[in-house]
Amino acid sequence: MLLNGDYEQELIQSPLNYTGGKYRLLPQILPHFPQKIETFVDLFCGGANVGINVKSNLTILNDINKNLISLFNTFKNLGDNSLKLIDKIIVNYGLSQSSKYGYEYYNCCSDSGLGFYNKDKYLKLREDFNNNKDISYSHYIMLYVLIVYSFNNQIRFNRQGDFNLPVGKRDFNLKMKEKLYKFIERLKFLNCEFSNYDFRHFNIERLTSDSLVYVDPPYLITCATYNELDGWNENEEKDLLIFLDKLNSKNIKFALSNVLRSKNKENKILIEWARSNNKYKTINLNYSYSNSNYHKKNKNSVTEEVLIINY
């Protein structure tokens, strides 16, 4: 995907199917970012769809999920060798390679998927990953292979820190290989740092007025795997808004992605906060991307996705 206007580089999609990923919204979000960014902070980077596509002298990818940040760090440091190690793990565990052998080779079809063939092999990989004490690059490549072969290619850990998703229908197909290759290539040339802080402990003292902090937190009024275990509540929401006010008081630019209303729910905390400072500007985004829901008669059922900026 290419962005019209002054944005010359190709938009790269994350190799992770992370809940709430902003790849499709990039053409709406990026034009609202400042043209000159010294340090760009992707504070809740998730799949890094935004951070990997922003031009800056320094990009900081931060997320509270240590496994996620370690995976990105692994891709950065191993580079193309990541792909070789992925193939090695797939072969060692006997997982399917549909791009090489096709579905019939595994007595499967595209509609039903490869889960039946991969299940036992996947569970063995998952067990080995969860029991592994040698936290090396290989460990995080194992995690990526798990994600690829898991249900909907998602990431989920239980309270004990174990990866617990069941097997999925797909494998490391050509499309996924291409996304990962492009992502790694972009990481190679990106001047980036990786950090693993709760947003309340992120050091903002190094930031200046030429910095931009992009904030895409869990959404208070929508459901997702990251707040199944009460990982985001009203207290978290209020603390985040205090953090953004602090950035503003130090003349540091921020851009907040969030939703004001969704499925008859309303984020009153966020709405009141956005109105509290006349410097804050709320920009409406087309949440449904290519198929707009804004023409529905029941406006209360519409998801109102917004970008709130202080510059």
Side-chain angles (χ1 to χ4, degrees):
M1 181 166 64
L2 294 174
L3 187 65
N4 293 329
D6 297 330
Y7 222 81
E8 298 172 357
Q9 68 178 2
E10 179 185 3
L11 296 182
I12 300 299
Q13 186 173 9
S14 171
L16 304 179
N17 183 25
Y18 214 84
T19 304
K22 292 295 182 292
Y23 177 69
R24 291 187 183 180
L25 278 173
L26 287 176
Q28 298 182 58
I29 292 174
L30 294 182
H32 294 290
F33 286 178
Q35 289 188 350
K36 178 185 177 183
I37 302 174
E38 181 64 30
T39 299
F40 180 81
V41 180
D42 198 344
L43 193 62
F44 296 77
C45 74
N49 277 301
V50 178
I52 200 74
N53 286 295
V54 171
K55 294 179 179 179
S56 64
N57 291 332
L58 172 65
T59 295
I60 302 174
L61 298 179
N62 180 79
D63 199 278
I64 198 170
N65 188 326
K66 184 178 180 180
N67 285 292
L68 180 70
I69 292 301
S70 296
L71 178 58
F72 290 151
N73 186 53
T74 296
F75 288 152
K76 174 77 170 178
N77 285 282
L78 286 186
D80 295 342
N81 287 325
S82 301
L83 298 163
K84 296 176 183 177
L85 191 49
I86 289 168
D87 288 338
K88 182 179 179 181
I89 292 172
I90 289 172
V91 171
N92 286 348
Y93 282 87
L95 293 160
S96 66
Q97 302 178 71
S98 63
S99 62
K100 186 174 183 180
Y101 298 109
Y103 280 82
E104 290 184 2
Y105 181 84
Y106 303 103
N107 293 318
C108 298
C109 65
S110 179
D111 290 340
S112 59
L114 296 152
F116 179 79
Y117 174 83
N118 282 322
K119 183 177 179 180
D120 292 342
K121 305 163 184 64
Y122 171 85
L123 292 177
K124 173 60 176 170
L125 173 62
R126 191 178 73 179
E127 179 184 12
D128 289 350
F129 172 80
N130 287 331
N131 292 331
N132 185 29
K133 305 302 180 184
D134 178 22
I135 310 300
S136 61
Y137 290 151
S138 178
H139 177 77
Y140 294 107
I141 295 298
M142 287 176 70
L143 172 60
Y144 178 71
V145 176
L146 271 178
I147 295 167
V148 168
Y149 285 81
S150 71
F151 178 73
N152 283 346
N153 310 124
Q154 293 191 350
I155 307 171
R156 189 179 71 193
F157 294 87
N158 61 23
R159 290 187 185 275
Q160 289 71 45
D162 291 337
F163 190 90
N164 66 348
L165 280 170
V167 69
K169 296 172 61 176
R170 305 301 171 203
D171 61 8
F172 195 43
N173 55 43
L174 292 175
K175 184 177 180 180
M176 296 192 77
K177 289 181 182 179
E178 182 181 5
K179 282 201 294 186
L180 179 59
Y181 175 78
K182 288 184 176 182
F183 188 84
I184 290 173
E185 286 297 301
R186 179 63 59 82
L187 274 180
K188 279 184 186 178
F189 299 102
L190 193 68
N191 180 26
C192 64
E193 295 178 6
F194 306 95
S195 61
N196 175 223
Y197 293 108
D198 179 289
F199 69 89
R200 284 162 288 224
H201 301 138
F202 187 86
N203 180 19
I204 65 173
E205 298 304 318
R206 64 186 294 192
L207 303 179
T208 68
S209 59
D210 287 329
S211 301
L212 174 65
V213 180
Y214 174 69
V215 185
D216 184 25
Y219 294 168
L220 185 63
I221 58 174
T222 60
C223 296
T225 54
Y226 42 53
N227 53 18
E228 283 177 350
L229 302 177
D230 196 30
W232 196 264
N233 52 42
E234 288 190 359
N235 289 331
E236 303 272 335
E237 187 85 355
K238 291 175 182 177
D239 283 349
L240 177 61
L241 300 181
I242 291 171
F243 174 84
L244 294 177
D245 284 336
K246 185 176 181 181
L247 289 178
N248 185 63
S249 70
K250 292 181 174 293
N251 200 30
I252 298 171
K253 300 179 184 71
F254 70 72
L256 168 68
S257 281
N258 216 305
V259 294
L260 301 182
R261 299 173 183 84
S262 179
K263 297 180 180 178
N264 297 312
K265 294 181 180 180
E266 185 176 72
N267 189 336
K268 294 181 180 179
I269 296 172
L270 179 62
I271 292 171
E272 290 302 315
W273 172 82
R275 293 171 178 168
S276 69
N277 190 318
N278 57 18
K279 188 177 178 182
Y280 299 165
K281 180 181 178 183
T282 300
I283 301 162
N284 292 300
L285 304 177
N286 184 356
Y287 168 78
S288 58
Y289 314 123
S290 59
N291 298 309
S292 176
N293 288 326
Y294 285 94
H295 300 296
K296 288 185 177 180
K297 292 182 180 179
N298 183 7
K299 296 293 184 181
N300 291 327
S301 68
V302 173
T303 295
E304 294 183 36
E305 181 126 11
V306 295
L307 186 71
I308 301 175
I309 59 177
N310 70 329
Y311 50 88

